[in-house]
Amino acid sequence: MNMLDQLWTLIQYLFLGIFQGFTEPIPISSSGHLIMVKDLFNIIGQGLTFEVLVNFGSLLAVFIVYRNDLARLIVSGFGFLFQKKRDDATTRDFRFIIYLIIGTIPAGVIGVLYGDAIEGTFGESASMVGITLIVTGIALWIIRNLRGSRGDGDMTIKDALIIGLAQSVALIPGISRSGATVVAAMLLGLKQTTALRFSFLLYVPVSLGTVILKGEAIMNTPSNLYIPYVLAFLGSIVASYFALKWFINVMKNNNLKYFAFYCFIVGALAILFL
C-alpha cells in the first residue's frame, strides 16, 4: 500500500468515526446514516468490530457528559445496599438504577434472539433506511411540543419496560435509539431532563455489554488497522460529546421539529435516489 492509499485509509476511518460519533447521540439513527453513506460513496464496510469500537467512543462521551449523574448513582447504589439509613434521595437513585437494569432487558433479549435476522432484513437497504427514518421523523414530530411533568422519582417499572421496548425497536437501522427512547419517555409524561438522562444512561449497559462480548475481536485487530482505528475512536469521542451537548440544548429550546424535518427530507431522498 503506497503513501496515498495509506492517507486515504486514515481519512476514511477518521471520517466514519466522526460521522458515526456525531450521529449516535442525536435522534437521526447513526446505523442508518452509516448504511446510506457507505452506499452513496461506495465505501466497503469495516465490520462489526469497527462499529463496536466507535460506539464505545460514544459511550465514553456519555460518561463525560453525565459523569456527575453516574457518580451520584454509584454512590447512592452502594449507600442503599450497605447502609442501614436510607434517605429519600438514596432510595430514589437506587430505584432509578433498577429501572435502568429493567429497561436494558428487552433490547438485550431481542438483540440476542433476533439481532442477526433484523440485520439481515434491514441492514443492507438504504431505501429501507429511508422509510424507517421517516417513521423516526413522525415520532419526533408527535412529541415536539410535549412538556412532561414527571421527574426521576416518579418513574415506575412500567415506564422502564416501555422505554426498554422502544430501545429494542431501534435495533432496526433508521430507527434512532436516542429518538425512540426519548419519544417513549416523553409520551409517558416524563420531563425532558429525565427523558434524556434515562435514555443516555440506558445506553451505558447495552454498549458496555457489547464491548465486553466483542472485546476479544477488537484486541485481535490487524496491526495495519491500529492507527486508523485509533483515529476513528478518538473522532467518535469528540464528535459524540459535542453532538450530545447540542441535542440536550435542542431539547431545552424545544426545537425537536428540526430533527423531524431532517428525517423527512433525508428519508425521502434515500427512498428516491439510493
Side-chain angles (χ1 to χ4, degrees), residues 112-134:
V112 170
L113 295 178
Y114 304 108
D116 291 340
I118 293 172
E119 181 67 24
T121 303
F122 299 100
E124 301 297 332
S125 173
S127 59
M128 181 62 70
V129 169
I131 294 172
T132 51
L133 269 178
I134 290 175

Side-chain angles (χ1 to χ4, degrees), residues 1-248:
M1 182 180 293
N2 60 44
M3 186 173 295
L4 285 177
D5 289 336
Q6 291 176 341
L7 179 60
W8 170 242
T9 297
L10 293 177
I11 292 173
Q12 178 174 297
Y13 274 81
L14 178 60
F15 168 74
L16 289 176
I18 292 173
F19 184 82
Q20 180 145 336
F22 184 79
T23 55
E24 178 62 43
I26 58 180
I28 60 172
S29 179
S30 61
S31 58
H33 274 69
L34 203 60
I35 290 172
M36 291 188 295
V37 166
K38 289 178 179 178
D39 189 88
L40 185 62
F41 295 103
N42 196 29
I43 296 174
I44 299 174
Q46 279 67 36
L48 181 61
T49 301
F50 174 80
E51 293 186 19
V52 171
L53 185 67
V54 293
N55 282 332
F56 183 55
S58 296
L59 175 63
L60 293 182
V62 172
F63 281 158
I64 295 170
V65 173
Y66 283 101
R67 60 189 180 279
N68 293 331
D69 294 286
L70 285 166
R72 190 191 72 250
L73 289 174
I74 292 170
V75 171
S76 294
F78 280 106
F80 185 90
L81 291 173
F82 301 110
Q83 292 180 4
K84 293 182 179 180
K85 185 178 180 180
R86 299 167 180 169
D87 57 27
D88 291 341
T90 300
T91 302
R92 181 184 64 244
D93 286 343
F94 184 76
R95 287 176 179 169
F96 195 84
I97 294 171
I98 297 300
Y99 296 151
L100 287 171
I101 294 172
I102 292 172
T104 302
I105 294 172
V109 172
I110 293 174
V112 170
L113 295 178
Y114 304 108
D116 291 340
I118 293 172
E119 181 67 24
T121 303
F122 299 100
E124 301 297 332
S125 173
S127 59
M128 181 62 70
V129 169
I131 294 172
T132 51
L133 269 178
I134 290 175
V135 172
T136 295
I138 292 171
L140 292 173
W141 182 261
I142 290 172
I143 69 160
R144 70 191 186 284
N145 294 323
L146 290 184
R147 307 289 181 271
S149 59
R150 300 167 58 217
D152 293 13
D154 301 313
M155 287 193 67
T156 65
I157 292 176
K158 179 182 176 182
D159 296 330
L161 281 172
I162 292 174
I163 297 171
L165 286 169
Q167 179 169 248
S168 67
V169 174
L171 291 169
I172 301 173
I175 301 294
S176 164
R177 192 211 66 85
S178 61
T181 51
V182 167
V183 166
M186 295 297 292
L187 288 174
L188 289 167
L190 297 179
K191 294 178 180 178
Q192 291 180 347
T193 52
T194 296
L196 282 167
R197 185 181 299 112
F198 193 80
S199 171
F200 285 105
L201 293 183
L202 195 60
Y203 177 67
V204 171
V206 172
S207 183
L208 273 179
T210 303
V211 170
I212 292 171
L213 290 174
K214 302 297 180 181
E216 184 177 353
I218 294 175
M219 295 301 294
N220 291 331
T221 299
S223 59
N224 65 308
L225 290 178
Y226 285 169
I227 295 178
Y229 270 34
V230 168
L231 282 177
F233 178 66
L234 294 176
S236 175
I237 296 173
V238 174
S240 292
Y241 173 82
F242 285 106
L244 178 50
K245 296 288 284 185
W246 178 49
F247 182 35
I248 293 171

